[in-house]
Amino acid sequence: MARYSGPVIDAHHHVWEPSLGRQPWLLPDAHIPFRYGDYEQIKRDYLPPDLRRDAGPLELVGSVSMETEWDDDDPIGEMEYTQAVSERFGLPTASVAHALLDDPQVGTVIERLAAMPRVRGVRHKPGGAPSPREAASRPTLLEDRQWQAGFALLHRAGLSFDLQVAWWHFPEAARLAAEHEDTTIVIDHTGLPADRSPDGLAGWADALRLIARHDNVVLKISGLGVAGRPWTVADNRGIVTTAAEVFGPSRIMFASNFPVDGIVATYQEIYQGFLEITTDWSASEQRAAFAGNAARVYRLPSEVLGDRT
């Protein structure tokens, strides 16, 4: 086996200009609870030239941008902004938008988003309990009937759903996946395995196995930083290999979560780590995880990869 050196599609990053004032949490005086702690360093413009610079020698052929918690009342405006960025710089290739699925009027928003050429999916963070112990008594929006009604509109619109929720809420996510088998659900940030204790990792792995039973669920290997600790291969090898074993080579994709994960590592530290961890994977498994699966799930134009996968 050899270290992968082929095309890369970054399946999860952000583009933003905080100076425009559209992301409340990125305003100069904003300070929200954040899983990586202090986030002042990411209150700066981050555009495709910055992504390409950070990617360095990687053959970055495409990318998928994620909604940025732009003003809630203007999801269309965020995608118009992102499309203009793409037209100017050639990236992102596709985008995941925001929509308030528990809004009774969300159908109109979903229709408008689906008509935009680069929008492939929607994300609406459902909230959640701060620990596994509290999960049963503090369910997320995944259990809310109005939210579920909004979610049900995605398949008809041809959109997938990106789910960012802690692993202890995967029983709720599994029920959602079972009830909506025709909608692709992309689990963001590997299910947030921040608790690296033996019990924490065992609980995360069990939850991963539960959600992976549903063929319409795929996993994004990203967001593996832990507050106050450097991103290392030693820390994250087990997470990556377990995720790959549970979901299989056709249902995982690597992503940077930049600039957010720049708080805990450089882009190169993260991707060189992924490359080291996957050295003993087959060539086809490597191509799938680094590019092919993202191209398929997010329906990227065929010319992005050509016949290389």
Side-chain angles (χ1 to χ4, degrees):
M1 303 300 178
R3 194 180 182 92
Y4 180 71
S5 60
V8 169
I9 294 172
D10 187 340
H12 189 117
H13 71 90
H14 304 281
V15 293
W16 58 46
E17 295 173 81
S19 60
L20 299 177
R22 304 312 302 269
Q23 293 91 1
W25 69 290
L26 293 176
L27 294 175
D29 295 331
H31 302 284
I32 64 169
F34 196 67
R35 66 191 180 99
Y36 289 156
D38 179 23
Y39 66 96
E40 284 297 311
Q41 72 182 74
I42 64 172
K43 292 182 178 182
R44 58 181 173 83
D45 293 357
Y46 197 80
L47 293 168
D50 303 298
L51 185 72
R52 289 193 174 101
R53 180 199 64 231
D54 289 340
L58 295 172
E59 188 187 348
L60 187 66
V61 299
S63 73
V64 180
S65 69
M66 180 59 56
E67 61 91 13
T68 62
E69 300 191 20
W70 183 283
D71 294 323
D72 276 350
D73 62 354
D74 189 27
I76 306 301
E78 179 174 25
M79 289 301 99
E80 289 174 340
Y81 164 81
T82 306
Q83 180 160 319
V85 168
S86 178
E87 290 171 352
R88 179 181 176 190
F89 296 111
L91 291 177
T93 319
S95 297
V96 175
H98 184 251
L100 294 172
L101 296 182
D102 55 343
D103 181 347
Q105 307 304 316
V106 74
T108 300
V109 173
I110 289 173
E111 288 178 6
R112 292 184 64 187
L113 290 172
M116 303 181 82
R118 287 173 176 78
V119 174
R120 298 293 186 272
V122 161
R123 181 170 77 167
H124 180 192
K125 295 178 182 176
S131 70
R133 181 174 52 84
E134 300 169 84
S137 61
R138 296 179 60 177
T140 71
L141 282 173
L142 300 177
E143 300 282 85
D144 181 83
R145 289 188 178 181
Q146 185 64 57
W147 191 96
Q148 292 172 356
F151 183 92
L153 301 175
L154 296 176
H155 173 63
R156 185 176 63 187
L159 298 175
S160 60
F161 182 74
D162 266 66
L163 174 61
Q164 183 167 327
V165 72
W167 56 263
W168 47 83
H169 287 291
F170 279 6
E172 298 171 44
R175 289 191 289 273
L176 185 75
E179 293 168 4
H180 300 276
E181 295 179 343
D182 293 330
T183 301
T184 297
I185 298 174
V186 184
I187 301 292
D188 288 348
H189 305 332
T190 334
L192 302 172
D195 179 358
R196 300 300 176 88
S197 69
D199 286 346
L201 290 176
W204 166 79
D206 286 343
L208 214 62
R209 295 184 188 99
L210 174 68
I211 195 69
R213 295 174 187 168
H214 302 278
D215 293 338
N216 55 323
V217 179
V218 297
L219 184 74
K220 204 176 286 184
I221 300 178
S222 60
L224 294 180
V226 177
R229 290 168 63 169
W231 199 111
T232 66
V233 168
D235 247 4
N236 291 308
R237 183 186 295 275
I239 299 287
V240 174
T241 55
T242 297
E245 289 168 0
V246 170
F247 271 85
S250 66
R251 292 201 289 155
I252 55 172
M253 59 186 88
F254 289 119
S256 72
N257 193 33
F258 253 60
V260 174
D261 274 34
I263 295 172
V264 295
T266 68
Y267 199 103
Q268 288 302 307
E269 286 169 337
I270 291 171
Y271 262 89
Q272 293 303 320
F274 290 153
L275 290 169
E276 180 177 339
I277 291 167
T278 59
T279 298
D280 62 349
W281 294 15
S282 72
S284 62
E285 290 170 341
Q286 291 171 337
R287 286 194 299 271
F290 281 100
N293 293 338
R296 184 189 75 251
V297 170
Y298 288 112
R299 307 181 306 285
L300 303 191
S302 58
E303 58 267 23
V304 170
L305 288 175
D307 62 358
R308 287 180 291 186
T309 59

